[in-house]
Amino acid sequence: MTSFATSLHELKAFANQPVRTFTTPDERASMEAALAKVRAGSGKRFAPVIDGAEVIGAGGRIVSRNPARPDEVVGMVDACSAEQATRAVEAASQRFEIWKQTTVEERAGYLLAAAEHIRRRRDEFNAVLVYEVGKTWIEADAETAEAIDFLEFYAREALRYANPLALTPLPGEENHLIYVPLGVGVVIPPWNFAFAIMTGMVSAALVCGNTVCLKPSEDASVIAALFVDLLAEVGLPPGVLNFVPGPGAIVGEALVTHPLTRFIAFTGSKSVGLHINETAASVQSGQRWIKRVIAEMGGKDAIIVASDADLQAAVKGVVSSAFGYQGQKCSSCSRVIAEAGVYDELLTKVVARTRDLRIGDPADSATDLGPVINQAAIDRILGYVEIGAREGRLVAGGRRLPGEGYFLEPTIIADVPSSARIAQEEIFGPFLAFLRVRDFSDALKVANDTEFGLTGAVYSRDAATLERARDEFHVGNLYFNRKCTGALVGVHPFGGFNMSGTDSKAGGSDYLLQFLQAKVVSSRRAPH
């Protein structure tokens, strides 16, 4: 393992990795070279890794395809069987007994080494994200930067938690509170932030002294395999991280139900998250703990535009929030709630800006919007277009574009009632509903009228209006006069309320507590 300073006083203060815009010739040349290199090496086969050894997957093969060119195979990943998933948990449990005894400095060192490796290969990871999940250059670079941020931030946080916590003194006793790891964790990341969220959940679990079984999304298994390889390169001991790809109904179920599984970290849909929570709550034979579930399950995020808002800023923020990465972010704006006085002008300007977006292959640097992830997404979103055309007024988009890729026009439905399905259900695509309200009181009522509570934004020049939103807009991440996407590690700890998840704050100062448990040791001085 590369040597790194691993005490808080030796490390520089955490700072976010800047996101590049590829405006310089050197940046563009580097990215173009990486795209060519990754494409030339496409089709590689990856194996599951259990207890440090590659195994032949007994569950078939996952073929990862480029959503912009579905005939193009990005890579192939062997899937595990349920029996192999069981073996992975058992191996992780055995390795936990050793890993938990390593120093926090050593564990943090692996994260810092991984961050440095990713910096050196930044555009290679960017290129994989472009091809495997359809990210534009800037969206891919932002995600890779976030993966680096998670590694750097959680390394520092683990070192901070290793310091003694101040307790109320009691004469005659010495009392200490320490944090100890939980055990074997199952990490199930999503495909939309397949690199960043995976890196964040895995690194948080590992640096706290837990061992991990990683089951990636079937739509993004190649980037996960590359990350597992990278951690092996920096010297992470065998069996500490096990790579267990495969279908959720088979592999995920085996991992979640195993009695040796101590916790599950999941990001994805509400339906799957609730199933995991319910399944984990059922005690299995031989289980000695209540399983902990850390879940982030999406949102129905709204931007409120008050009558006194800066409309130019609001239009820019709405379009970016709604259609960045084709609306495939849990934080994406899917509802615009506009006061009646600005509704029509705002709608006209948003439609005009949306129509200027360039849709195409994200491997082209000029592309603003790439494809959605797969055919199932196409079918689901077009189904909501039909529903939306009945529930409101179609003013933009609504069609699949010709060609081989999974490309959709960004869709805007106007005059949508708050009770409409397209105003209540998470669609997860380039789809935006416009809702007209009488005033700001009505706007807050409509904004809170969903089962979710992840992100939201308010555009207003009035300090009293914003202060009221601070108190009454019930979301985990609330933004004023800016877009509702783009949370930065350490700056905007991320996670939501209600059906958006379990209220954990990824990238925040208390996130590692999800992967630790507190132990108090009290010692009374013996009399002489």
Side-chain angles (χ1 to χ4, degrees):
M1 183 183 72
T2 306
S3 177
F4 282 86
T6 51
S7 68
L8 279 177
H9 72 273
E10 292 175 314
L11 285 169
K12 293 180 180 178
F14 171 76
N16 297 105
Q17 192 75 26
V19 177
R20 297 170 300 164
T21 56
F22 298 97
T23 53
T24 69
D26 287 348
E27 287 179 346
R28 294 178 63 82
S30 175
M31 186 64 186
E32 287 167 353
L35 287 165
K37 177 182 177 181
V38 169
R39 174 162 273 161
S42 63
K44 182 180 177 181
R45 184 175 175 181
F46 299 88
V49 180
I50 298 175
D51 203 24
E54 291 188 353
V55 301
I56 298 173
R61 187 173 298 172
I62 300 166
V63 179
S64 181
R65 298 183 181 275
N66 180 351
R69 304 181 182 191
D71 289 338
E72 182 178 291
V73 175
V74 179
M76 295 176 288
V77 181
D78 284 1
C80 289
S81 64
E83 291 75 18
Q84 288 175 316
T86 296
R87 184 148 52 93
V89 174
E90 292 167 353
S93 180
Q94 292 174 356
R95 295 290 183 173
F96 172 66
E97 297 305 318
I98 301 170
W99 179 244
K100 70 180 181 181
Q101 297 176 32
T102 59
T103 66
V104 67
E105 290 81 10
E106 180 179 345
R107 298 194 300 259
Y110 290 116
L111 269 60
L112 296 171
E116 188 57 33
H117 276 241
I118 295 170
R119 283 190 190 92
R120 290 200 296 265
R121 297 167 52 191
R122 183 168 179 167
D123 283 333
E124 178 187 341
F125 286 104
N126 287 347
V128 175
L129 293 170
V130 169
Y131 290 134
E132 188 168 35
V133 294
K135 296 227 162 177
T136 62
W137 288 22
I138 294 175
E139 290 279 356
D141 196 66
E143 179 167 356
T144 300
E146 186 176 15
I148 294 169
D149 284 351
F150 277 131
L151 291 163
E152 293 279 357
F153 185 77
Y154 291 151
R156 288 162 171 79
E157 286 298 293
L159 293 167
R160 182 173 66 83
Y161 275 112
N163 292 326
L165 187 73
L167 299 175
T168 302
L170 179 66
E173 279 190 5
E174 290 184 1
N175 294 292
H176 301 278
L177 186 150
I178 58 175
Y179 290 104
V180 298
L182 297 173
V184 178
V186 172
V187 172
I188 306 176
W191 53 261
N192 65 328
F193 282 89
F195 191 24
I197 291 178
M198 171 192 62
T199 299
M201 293 194 295
V202 168
S203 63
L206 293 179
V207 80
C208 290
N210 306 291
T211 52
V212 170
C213 293
L214 168 63
K215 194 215 85 66
S217 165
E218 292 169 81
D219 287 307
S221 294
V222 169
I223 192 75
L226 292 172
F227 179 64
V228 172
D229 287 348
L230 182 144
L231 287 180
E233 287 176 26
V234 302
L236 189 73
V240 172
L241 174 60
N242 299 275
F243 182 48
V244 197
I250 298 171
V251 173
E253 199 77 5
L255 295 171
V256 170
T257 57
H258 199 292
L260 291 177
T261 295
R262 179 63 178 83
F263 66 92
I264 303 100
F266 166 80
T267 300
S269 70
K270 184 190 79 170
S271 60
V272 175
L274 291 179
H275 173 73
I276 288 172
N277 193 57
E278 181 180 7
T279 303
S282 179
V283 177
Q284 306 296 315
S285 176
Q287 183 176 323
R288 304 183 69 175
W289 41 65
I290 299 172
K291 293 178 183 178
R292 185 178 295 181
V293 175
I294 307 108
E296 195 275 281
M297 304 188 305
K300 192 64 183 173
D301 311 300
I303 292 180
I304 296 175
V305 182
S307 57
D308 67 337
D310 177 341
L311 284 193
Q312 183 176 354
V315 169
K316 183 178 179 181
V318 164
V319 173
S320 177
S321 298
F323 302 125
Y325 188 42
Q326 298 80 262
Q328 297 176 124
K329 302 177 184 180
C330 56
S331 58
S332 292
C333 173
S334 59
R335 297 179 296 154
V336 171
I337 301 168
E339 292 188 39
V342 294
Y343 180 93
D344 292 325
E345 183 180 359
L346 178 70
L347 175 61
T348 299
K349 291 179 181 294
V350 167
V351 168
R353 188 177 182 92
T354 299
R355 285 178 174 154
D356 287 338
L357 296 173
R358 295 161 294 188
I359 306 170
D361 191 333
D364 182 345
S365 63
T367 294
D368 295 315
L369 263 70
V372 295
I373 190 64
N374 54 30
Q375 183 62 46
I378 287 275
D379 296 340
R380 183 188 68 251
I381 296 163
L382 289 179
Y384 275 107
V385 171
E386 293 182 7
I387 294 168
R390 295 192 298 268
E391 293 183 325
R393 176 167 55 95
L394 179 66
V395 294
R399 297 178 300 176
R400 179 174 184 172
L401 296 177
E404 59 176 331
Y406 303 125
F407 294 99
L408 284 171
E409 292 179 325
T411 296
I412 300 174
I413 307 286
D415 306 338
V416 177
S418 180
S419 60
R421 286 183 62 185
I422 63 168
Q424 293 292 328
E425 299 174 11
E426 186 175 37
I427 298 170
F428 222 69
F431 193 107
L432 181 61
F434 257 75
L435 291 77
R436 187 194 305 264
V437 292
R438 295 183 303 274
D439 52 27
F440 195 70
S441 294
D442 195 20
L444 287 171
K445 179 181 178 181
V446 170
N448 289 328
D449 183 27
T450 80
E451 62 182 351
F452 298 103
L454 186 52
T455 75
V458 178
Y459 282 86
S460 173
R461 291 185 172 94
D462 182 60
T465 295
L466 298 177
E467 189 62 31
R468 183 179 176 192
R470 188 190 307 273
D471 292 337
E472 298 181 32
F473 198 161
H474 193 59
V475 292
N477 286 72
L478 179 60
Y479 304 99
F480 294 155
N481 294 312
R482 55 148 287 180
K483 63 181 184 175
C484 65
T485 58
L488 292 173
V489 173
V491 179
H492 315 106
F494 187 80
F497 304 149
N498 300 344
M499 285 296 175
S500 286
T502 53
D503 308 328
S504 59
K505 284 291 188 184
S509 60
D510 60 355
Y511 185 68
L512 291 191
L513 292 176
Q514 308 292 323
F515 304 89
L516 294 165
Q517 51 193 346
K519 180 177 182 179
V520 173
V521 179
S522 300
S523 177
R524 180 162 290 180
R525 299 186 186 94
H528 294 292

